[in-house]
Amino acid sequence: MTKRVAILISGGGSNMVALADSMVGDHPARPCLVLANSDQAGGLEKAASRGIPTAVVDHRPFGGDRAAFEAALNTALAPAAPDILCLAGFMRVLTEGFISGWQGRMLNIHPSLLPKYRGLHTHARALAAGDAEHGCTVHEVTPALDDGPILGQAKVPVLPGDTPDSLAARVLTQEHRLYPAVLRRFAAGDRSPIFLT
Ligand code: GAR
């Protein structure tokens, strides 16, 4: 049966676009909702222009009440009845309470070769460390931040003169290859990891 995929975003949504545009033809999944935590997320318009339903749950009115924010996320997700959640540049930390409800059904893309550089500023940290290569990881979401079984990685070289921005752009190009490749496999029930070079 075709899987229903909800994609959670905070910003421009280029990974969301890559995922949404991949779910065509014999792909085992289709997008059912794009959910953002800000009505300023540029990806919302891109989703709408593709005919994908959108929703916004602004985290700000909830202050520090993460549980209430997450309850509102689940309320927004429920009518779309997703089988799989894809975090795609969703920049809110989720609690164990939310994650446990979706465990085994929630993926995230992170711009580093995990377990290196969990958290933020991954490109600057790879450059500061003098790494020769960098990349991105798609993993299942578990309660620990940027942890969980790795479903795919793609590497890029670090080039002389790279800045965090130039490196980020090179990684993002790989993200757009990796995430759709992993989702396609995952939606078909295959959790074996993919390694792209
Ligand atoms: C991507 O590089 C993604 O890996 C990163 O945010 C960017 C979102 O871009 N995610 C994280 O840092 C999560 N911790 P996009 O909105 O164009 O897909």
Coordinates of all heavy atoms in Angstrom, one line a residue, residues 20-53:
A20 N 9.5 15.6 -2.2 CA 8.2 15.7 -2.8 C 8.3 15.3 -4.3 O 7.5 14.5 -4.8 CB 7.6 17.0 -2.6
D21 N 9.3 15.9 -5.0 CA 9.4 15.7 -6.4 C 9.9 14.2 -6.7 O 9.7 13.8 -7.9 CB 10.4 16.7 -7.0 CG 9.8 18.1 -7.1 OD1 8.6 18.2 -6.7 OD2 10.6 19.0 -7.4
S22 N 10.4 13.5 -5.7 CA 10.8 12.2 -6.0 C 9.6 11.2 -5.9 O 9.7 10.1 -6.4 CB 11.9 11.7 -5.0 OG 11.4 11.5 -3.7
M23 N 8.6 11.6 -5.2 CA 7.5 10.7 -4.9 C 6.5 10.6 -6.0 O 5.3 11.1 -5.9 CB 6.8 11.0 -3.6 CG 7.7 10.7 -2.4 SD 6.8 11.0 -0.8 CE 7.6 12.5 -0.3
V24 N 6.9 10.1 -7.1 CA 6.1 10.0 -8.3 C 6.2 8.6 -8.9 O 7.1 7.8 -8.5 CB 6.5 11.1 -9.4 CG1 6.2 12.5 -8.9 CG2 7.9 10.9 -9.8
G25 N 5.4 8.3 -9.9 CA 5.5 7.0 -10.6 C 5.4 5.8 -9.7 O 4.5 5.8 -8.8
D26 N 6.4 4.9 -9.8 CA 6.3 3.7 -9.0 C 6.8 3.8 -7.6 O 7.0 2.9 -6.9 CB 7.0 2.5 -9.7 CG 8.5 2.7 -9.8 OD1 9.0 3.8 -9.4 OD2 9.2 1.8 -10.2
H27 N 7.1 5.1 -7.2 CA 7.6 5.3 -5.8 C 6.5 4.8 -4.8 O 5.3 5.0 -5.0 CB 7.8 6.8 -5.6 CG 8.6 7.1 -4.4 ND1 8.2 7.0 -3.1 CD2 9.9 7.6 -4.3 CE1 9.1 7.3 -2.2 NE2 10.2 7.8 -2.9
P28 N 7.0 4.1 -3.7 CA 6.0 3.5 -2.8 C 5.4 4.5 -1.8 O 4.7 4.1 -0.9 CB 6.9 2.5 -2.0 CG 8.3 3.0 -2.1 CD 8.4 3.7 -3.4
A29 N 5.6 5.8 -2.0 CA 5.0 6.8 -1.1 C 4.6 8.1 -1.8 O 5.0 8.3 -2.9 CB 6.1 7.2 0.0
R30 N 3.8 8.8 -1.1 CA 3.3 10.1 -1.7 C 3.3 11.1 -0.5 O 3.0 10.8 0.6 CB 1.9 10.0 -2.2 CG 1.8 9.2 -3.5 CD 2.4 9.9 -4.7 NE 2.3 9.2 -6.0 CZ 3.1 8.2 -6.4 NH1 4.1 7.8 -5.7 NH2 2.9 7.7 -7.6
P31 N 3.6 12.4 -0.8 CA 3.5 13.4 0.2 C 2.0 13.7 0.6 O 1.2 13.8 -0.3 CB 4.1 14.7 -0.4 CG 4.0 14.5 -1.9 CD 4.0 13.0 -2.1
C32 N 1.8 13.8 1.9 CA 0.4 14.1 2.4 C 0.3 15.4 3.1 O -0.9 15.9 3.2 CB -0.1 12.9 3.3 SG 0.8 12.8 4.8
L33 N 1.4 16.0 3.5 CA 1.3 17.2 4.3 C 2.7 17.8 4.4 O 3.7 17.0 4.6 CB 0.8 17.0 5.7 CG 0.7 18.2 6.6 CD1 -0.5 19.1 6.1 CD2 0.4 17.8 8.0
V34 N 2.8 19.1 4.3 CA 4.1 19.8 4.6 C 3.7 20.7 5.8 O 2.8 21.5 5.7 CB 4.7 20.6 3.5 CG1 5.8 21.6 4.0 CG2 5.2 19.7 2.4
L35 N 4.4 20.5 6.9 CA 4.1 21.2 8.2 C 5.3 22.0 8.6 O 6.4 21.5 8.7 CB 3.8 20.1 9.3 CG 3.5 20.6 10.7 CD1 2.4 21.5 10.8 CD2 3.2 19.3 11.6
A36 N 5.0 23.3 8.9 CA 6.1 24.2 9.2 C 5.9 24.8 10.6 O 4.7 24.9 11.1 CB 6.3 25.3 8.2
N37 N 6.9 25.2 11.3 CA 6.8 25.8 12.6 C 6.8 27.3 12.5 O 6.9 28.0 13.5 CB 7.8 25.3 13.6 CG 9.2 25.7 13.2 OD1 9.6 25.5 12.1 ND2 9.9 26.4 14.1
S38 N 6.7 27.8 11.3 CA 6.6 29.3 11.1 C 5.9 29.5 9.8 O 6.2 28.8 8.8 CB 8.0 29.9 11.0 OG 8.0 31.2 10.5
D39 N 5.0 30.5 9.8 CA 4.4 30.9 8.5 C 5.3 31.6 7.5 O 4.9 31.8 6.4 CB 3.1 31.7 8.7 CG 3.3 33.0 9.4 OD1 4.5 33.4 9.6 OD2 2.3 33.7 9.8
Q40 N 6.5 31.9 8.0 CA 7.5 32.5 7.1 C 8.4 31.4 6.4 O 9.2 31.8 5.6 CB 8.5 33.4 8.0 CG 7.8 34.5 8.7 CD 7.0 35.4 7.7 OE1 7.6 36.0 6.8 NE2 5.7 35.6 7.9
A41 N 8.2 30.2 6.7 CA 9.0 29.1 6.0 C 8.8 29.2 4.5 O 7.6 29.0 4.0 CB 8.6 27.8 6.6
G42 N 9.8 29.4 3.8 CA 9.7 29.6 2.3 C 9.2 28.3 1.6 O 8.6 28.4 0.6
G43 N 9.4 27.2 2.3 CA 9.0 25.9 1.7 C 7.5 25.8 1.6 O 7.0 25.0 0.8
L44 N 6.7 26.5 2.4 CA 5.3 26.4 2.4 C 4.7 26.7 1.0 O 3.8 26.0 0.5 CB 4.6 27.3 3.4 CG 4.8 26.9 4.9 CD1 4.4 28.0 5.8 CD2 4.0 25.6 5.2
E45 N 5.2 27.8 0.4 CA 4.7 28.1 -0.9 C 5.1 27.1 -2.0 O 4.3 26.8 -2.9 CB 5.4 29.5 -1.3 CG 4.4 30.4 -2.0 CD 5.1 31.8 -2.2 OE1 5.0 32.6 -1.2 OE2 5.7 32.0 -3.2
K46 N 6.3 26.6 -1.8 CA 6.8 25.5 -2.8 C 5.9 24.3 -2.7 O 5.6 23.6 -3.7 CB 8.2 25.2 -2.5 CG 9.2 26.3 -2.8 CD 10.6 26.0 -2.3 CE 11.5 27.3 -2.2 NZ 12.7 27.1 -1.5
A47 N 5.5 24.0 -1.5 CA 4.6 22.8 -1.3 C 3.2 23.1 -1.9 O 2.7 22.3 -2.7 CB 4.5 22.5 0.2
A48 N 2.7 24.3 -1.6 CA 1.4 24.6 -2.1 C 1.4 24.6 -3.6 O 0.4 24.1 -4.3 CB 0.9 26.0 -1.6
S49 N 2.5 25.1 -4.2 CA 2.5 25.2 -5.7 C 2.6 23.8 -6.3 O 2.3 23.6 -7.5 CB 3.7 26.0 -6.2 OG 4.9 25.3 -6.0
R50 N 2.9 22.8 -5.5 CA 2.9 21.4 -5.9 C 1.6 20.7 -5.6 O 1.5 19.4 -5.8 CB 4.1 20.7 -5.3 CG 5.4 21.0 -5.9 CD 6.6 20.6 -5.1 NE 7.8 20.7 -6.0 CZ 8.4 21.9 -6.2 NH1 7.9 23.0 -5.7 NH2 9.5 22.0 -7.0
G51 N 0.7 21.4 -5.0 CA -0.6 20.8 -4.7 C -0.6 20.0 -3.4 O -1.4 19.2 -3.1
I52 N 0.5 20.2 -2.6 CA 0.6 19.4 -1.3 C -0.1 20.3 -0.2 O 0.2 21.4 -0.1 CB 2.1 19.2 -1.0 CG1 2.8 18.4 -2.1 CG2 2.2 18.4 0.3 CD1 4.3 18.4 -2.0
P53 N -0.9 19.6 0.6 CA -1.5 20.4 1.7 C -0.4 20.9 2.7 O 0.6 20.2 2.9 CB -2.4 19.3 2.4 CG -2.6 18.3 1.4 CD -1.4 18.3 0.5

